[in-house]
Amino acid sequence: MGTAISLDLADDRPAAVLHELAEETFDWLREVDARFSTYRDDSEVCRLDRGELALADASAHLRAVLERCADLWTATDGFFDAYATGRLDPSGYVKGWAAQVASDRLLAAGAPNHCVNAGGDVRVRGHTATGEPWRIGVRHPWDPAATCLVLTGTDLAVATSGVYERGHHVVDPRRGTPAVGLRSVTVVGPDLGLADAYATAAVAMGEPGIAWLDRLPTPWRHAVVTDTARLLHSRTLPLAP
């Protein structure tokens, strides 16, 4: 899906066990890439978009993801739109969802202390190898070598959508033009797929997305950097000391 993924397994288990867990995790993420990538002509997403694959013949994972994208379209007043660019592209949900599933599988396999980082969308559980809560840096939207915030916790999903790497690539689906107003949106909550989609939708909304994020129910929290360099965040955001 055009992104790098890293995995930190912090449980004190034999190296062979950790290696197997890592391989299983990356096998899953490679499967997701093969199925959902918009860069691969043979992916299910591309074949479905071209009409070469009927939805009824698609995998259960693809059908489930498209159902969730439809739900998100409703929940975001149409600002999360898998067809915003004119073609099927559920990437704004899939990346976070894939990492969330990877984390859920690690937890079920007896590895409760881990960090999955999918291109800046991060799912942490438990503690680091030194017994400390995880620390998640939110990239500074103008300085790639710096952070604008550092979050900490033992059970967090943190997704950031921004325009600092690929420019204004998030489309406002109502206007059909690149969204402006928000330089970076970070959403924190219990599910990385939803956090990823909410962050994407807020960027698509522009500055009105700030008020929309404020209305999300607990436990969702957020941080926003506007195009004019204002930093706004929830009062209960889990900031590192």
Side-chain angles (χ1 to χ4, degrees):
M1 291 174 288
T3 192
I5 297 181
S6 64
L7 174 64
D8 188 339
L9 299 175
D11 290 286
D12 185 14
R13 302 185 67 182
V17 172
L18 296 176
H19 179 77
E20 182 178 359
L21 288 171
E23 284 301 306
E24 290 173 354
T25 299
F26 285 111
D27 283 346
W28 158 247
L29 295 168
R30 283 188 284 266
E31 176 187 337
V32 170
D33 183 62
R35 193 181 305 283
F36 290 95
S37 176
T38 59
Y39 302 100
R40 299 174 58 153
D41 288 340
D42 61 344
S43 73
E44 273 196 273
V45 161
C46 288
R47 290 165 55 215
L48 182 65
D49 188 52
R50 293 194 301 267
E52 298 171 4
L53 175 70
L55 182 59
D57 297 326
S59 67
H61 282 140
L62 178 55
R63 294 197 304 271
V65 162
L66 293 181
E67 287 177 7
R68 182 53 64 90
C69 287
D71 293 340
L72 286 163
W73 185 89
T74 300
T76 62
D77 298 322
F79 279 98
F80 181 86
D81 188 345
Y83 289 91
T85 62
R87 59 171 296 192
L88 176 59
D89 183 0
S91 302
Y93 173 72
V94 165
K95 185 174 67 167
W97 164 78
Q100 177 70 41
V101 171
S103 175
D104 292 344
R105 290 182 175 187
L106 286 168
L107 183 65
N113 301 287
H114 60 260
C115 170
V116 183
N117 185 338
D121 289 348
V122 182
R123 187 65 169 97
V124 297
R125 278 185 159 121
H127 296 79
T128 68
T130 59
E132 300 295 323
W134 296 96
R135 294 169 64 91
I136 304 108
V138 178
R139 180 184 150 169
H140 193 289
W142 279 279
D143 183 355
T147 58
C148 62
L149 291 170
V150 178
L151 310 177
T152 186
T154 59
D155 188 5
L156 296 175
V158 181
T160 298
S161 181
V163 301
Y164 40 78
E165 285 190 345
R166 293 190 285 162
H168 291 275
H169 67 284
V170 177
V171 174
D172 176 345
R174 295 188 177 181
R175 295 181 175 86
T177 57
V180 296
L182 300 184
R183 181 81 176 176
S184 172
V185 173
T186 297
V187 175
V188 181
D191 182 275
L192 192 56
L194 292 180
D196 196 5
Y198 289 162
T200 300
V203 171
M205 293 176 191
E207 290 209 16
I210 300 171
W212 182 82
L213 289 167
D214 286 336
R215 294 193 296 271
L216 290 177
T218 304
W220 295 103
R221 291 156 287 178
H222 64 273
V224 172
V225 180
T226 70
D227 284 348
T228 56
R230 288 189 301 148
L231 172 61
L232 308 168
H233 64 77
S234 306
R235 287 178 297 173
T236 57
L237 197 69
L239 298 172

